Amino acid sequence: MKRLSFSLIIILTTFSLKIQAQNKFISKLYPNEITVQYAGNIGLVSAGPTWNYAKNECLSTTLMLGYVPGYLGNKSTVCLSLSKIYTPWHITWKNKMGFEPLTVGVMVSSIFGK
């Protein structure tokens, strides 16, 4: 009986550790911020989640969905873009303002419709 209860304790402890590990993984999937853009390269209005990661959050990935209204009889279209941005350093001033002198990025975009 002692052996059975000891085995049960080990199994339950292992199960609880797995649940904690899964929660840490799932929490990393949540975006750090929401980006909204007006009149950019992704449409007249676009928005989407942004994930910041790596040391000092110098890498970010943004997935944006944009809308281009139809002008002069053209049909409106929807754009989807995925961008990867690297920011080597961030300069802060009095913990209120920030400045990023250099950002390098790659963007892939697709337009749905004709």
Side-chain angles (χ1 to χ4, degrees), residues 44-94:
L44 182 65
V45 176
S46 58
T50 300
W51 294 270
N52 298 322
Y53 47 92
K55 188 177 182 180
N56 298 330
E57 296 184 347
C58 63
L59 287 173
S60 65
T61 301
T62 304
L63 180 67
M64 295 187 77
L65 189 66
Y67 173 73
V68 180
Y71 293 107
L72 301 172
N74 295 330
K75 292 185 177 181
S76 60
T77 57
V78 175
C79 306
L80 180 69
S81 77
L82 179 68
S83 63
K84 184 80 160 177
I85 298 172
Y86 172 66
T87 307
W89 60 85
H90 181 84
I91 300 168
T92 56
W93 185 63
K94 293 187 179 181

Side-chain angles (χ1 to χ4, degrees), residues 2-113:
K2 287 183 181 181
R3 179 183 261 180
L4 179 64
S5 62
F6 183 70
S7 298
L8 260 160
I9 289 172
I10 290 177
I11 289 171
L12 291 176
T13 305
T14 305
F15 181 71
S16 67
L17 291 176
K18 277 188 176 182
I19 290 174
Q20 290 174 358
Q22 287 174 350
N23 288 340
K24 286 181 183 178
F25 174 74
I26 290 172
S27 68
K28 289 181 183 179
L29 295 178
Y30 292 127
N32 299 85
E33 57 191 59
I34 300 295
T35 303
V36 178
Q37 181 175 326
Y38 173 73
N41 292 333
I42 311 163
L44 182 65
V45 176
S46 58
T50 300
W51 294 270
N52 298 322
Y53 47 92
K55 188 177 182 180
N56 298 330
E57 296 184 347
C58 63
L59 287 173
S60 65
T61 301
T62 304
L63 180 67
M64 295 187 77
L65 189 66
Y67 173 73
V68 180
Y71 293 107
L72 301 172
N74 295 330
K75 292 185 177 181
S76 60
T77 57
V78 175
C79 306
L80 180 69
S81 77
L82 179 68
S83 63
K84 184 80 160 177
I85 298 172
Y86 172 66
T87 307
W89 60 85
H90 181 84
I91 300 168
T92 56
W93 185 63
K94 293 187 179 181
N95 293 329
K96 292 183 181 180
M97 295 183 65
F99 178 66
E100 297 169 347
L102 177 67
T103 56
V104 181
V106 175
M107 182 171 72
V108 178
S109 183
S110 178
I111 299 173
F112 300 105

